[in-house]
Amino acid sequence: MLLCLSLSFPSHHQTMAAAPSLNSLPYEVRQTIYSLVARQTNSNDWRKGPVSTIAHYATVSREWQEEFVEPITFKAIRVTPRRLKSFCQIVTSPRRRAIVQTICFHVSLDKYDSRLDGEPETPAERRRSTEILTMALGTFFRAMTQWQKSDTSPLGLDLHLRVDSPSDASSLASRNGGALVTGRALTSCLELDLDVVSLPHIDVFGGFRCTGRHLQPTSILFIVSRLQTLEYLDVELNHDSTRNRDVKQRNSFALGLQNSETIRVLCLRRPSPMLTPVYAPPKQPWSAFYDHMRTFSQQCESFEFDDCIDAVQFFTPFLLGSGIAEPPKGQEAPFFPRLKRLNVRNSYMMKSPYLRVTNRVEALASVRNLLAAIGRATRRMPALLFVRVCQYVLTDARLEWFVLIYEYHADKVVMRTKGFRPGKLIANAWRESAAEKGTKLIIHHEKDDLNTPEL
């Protein structure tokens, strides 16, 4: 695209005039030009490589570089261990550091032959992966000690840790066209060598997200313990498993979170789809894990989780009826004074590894009881503004999904449902919650399918 500013060039008989500068244009005109250029470059495609085509426009002028190019190219920076030194040299000035909002630290593990796509790592390969990650994080954290909290933008600084192998990308494609990952990538967990790693404390990161290979919860917890001003945490948590190692990891993670007093936004995701069947764990709503998670979530403003936490067990204190496990003596229903946003997603699949229920009737009963329990729980969430609960039931015949959305705005409480008709149990639970706020509940039910069940 050519940008035409309607500038005329003098002839030999005309007096040479000073070339107009970009700053001579009104601010609105400059922003329009920048917007047009940005839309026709890969300015937002920072994940695919260290340099986007928009960086070439920095040579137009110093004004273009400082006012247009750098605010885009430095907003989200991809760093690798090999490029760490150049990163430190490039982002030395306070002006550039104030632009940065996200640092994606990408650690590449060793390549492997395609014949090993479906094979987990050997013990020697696991040790090698641990060594690579431990050394890379140590180097990165030491480099980040050169940053001061005053260097960052008021929006804060987020750390996105991605760890994978160049060979993890499968030649197969998913239904939506995206690349799948290999079986080795799905089954090979990562961990830090906690006996060797030494990470300094850093106070410049307000958010931390981890993707790629699954990182063990205790390793995540160690990293979190070094981020002193962390407010947002988005990580994977081991899926339901009865293996002693997994139970210990989950309990340690949930207990350790309680030492992170600054975290206000927590998003927990299960690891990528598991390839080996896992039997459903026993119902333990009063176990150490659920006790610690309920305790920690009471300091959150936003809490989101999927199948890595069984929602029925988490909200057991608000379940009613016979057969409900009695709480320990002195155990009170949790109170969430800060919670503004809640997002819950669970699956009830009629096959491994989601065998929470044995049939569709049991699944629908669990969904109904959960939606009612969360409705009762919202009475203990005085600051709540938004809730989204999605429950999926997969049978041999089809996939059914049940969605409830709650919004409190302008002194109105609105509940929207899709995939089911709320029965008396659910409606009353949410109506009583709305009454706590001194307002009536407005229910909207999508009637796309006349055969939707009543729950």
Side-chain angles (χ1 to χ4, degrees), residues 232-280:
Y232 171 73
L233 179 62
D234 180 357
V235 293
E236 289 182 347
L237 184 63
N238 280 2
H239 191 267
D240 295 340
S241 172
T242 55
R243 290 185 298 182
N244 291 334
R245 185 192 68 181
D246 290 344
V247 171
K248 184 178 179 180
Q249 286 268 332
R250 286 164 61 87
N251 290 347
S252 299
F253 175 80
L255 177 60
L257 279 180
Q258 298 180 45
N259 298 322
S260 305
E261 299 179 354
T262 59
I263 295 177
R264 294 291 179 265
V265 178
L266 178 63
C267 177
L268 298 177
R269 298 170 278 113
R270 67 174 174 85
S272 298
M274 304 182 72
L275 300 183
T276 55
V278 176
Y279 294 103

Side-chain angles (χ1 to χ4, degrees), residues 404-437:
L404 183 151
I405 296 177
Y406 163 100
E407 293 178 291
Y408 177 57
H409 178 67
D411 295 328
K412 290 184 179 181
V413 177
V414 180
M415 184 177 78
R416 295 180 173 84
T417 66
K418 187 171 184 178
F420 72 99
R421 301 187 305 276
K424 185 177 180 180
L425 181 71
I426 294 175
N428 285 347
W430 290 87
R431 283 196 183 102
E432 291 172 3
S433 175
E436 289 282 324
K437 297 181 179 294

Side-chain angles (χ1 to χ4, degrees), residues 198-257:
S198 176
L199 303 182
H201 289 86
I202 297 176
D203 65 355
V204 297
F205 288 111
F208 176 54
R209 186 168 189 260
C210 187
T211 60
R213 294 275 186 99
H214 175 62
L215 185 60
Q216 285 190 356
T218 49
S219 295
I220 292 174
L221 196 62
F222 181 79
I223 298 173
V224 169
S225 69
R226 296 303 186 264
L227 304 177
Q228 296 179 302
T229 55
L230 194 64
E231 297 180 6
Y232 171 73
L233 179 62
D234 180 357
V235 293
E236 289 182 347
L237 184 63
N238 280 2
H239 191 267
D240 295 340
S241 172
T242 55
R243 290 185 298 182
N244 291 334
R245 185 192 68 181
D246 290 344
V247 171
K248 184 178 179 180
Q249 286 268 332
R250 286 164 61 87
N251 290 347
S252 299
F253 175 80
L255 177 60
L257 279 180

